[in-house]
Amino acid sequence: KKLYDERTSVERCNGRLKENLTTNDLHVCGISKGTTHVYLNAIVLLATALAVKKTQASKEVA
């Protein structure tokens, strides 16, 4: 059950990367440039999640 839940969350993240952060429409030459692009998109996805969580936490305190 836990492994299935983790798989679901990974698939959700992959979907967000593809749809919202244009990982699906990558237009760079070379694997290293593509890898860098995907890593930067993953960092943006994590930063967004952290910002949302911090915003929600500050609203609960206030």
Side-chain angles (χ1 to χ4, degrees):
K1 173 91 174 123
K2 184 176 179 177
L3 184 62
Y4 184 77
D5 290 342
E6 288 178 14
R7 179 173 180 242
T8 303
S9 65
V10 169
E11 292 296 330
R12 195 176 312 121
C13 289
N14 287 340
R16 287 180 183 147
L17 283 171
K18 287 181 179 180
E19 294 297 320
N20 300 338
L21 297 173
T22 66
T23 304
N24 208 22
D25 300 323
L26 198 59
H27 297 288
V28 294
C29 294
I31 292 175
S32 62
K33 288 182 182 178
T35 303
T36 303
H37 188 76
V38 171
Y39 282 152
L40 289 173
N41 281 340
I43 290 169
V44 169
L45 185 67
L46 287 172
T48 304
L50 287 172
V52 167
K53 186 173 182 177
K54 186 175 180 179
T55 303
Q56 289 175 349
S58 66
K59 286 182 180 178
E60 289 175 2
V61 171

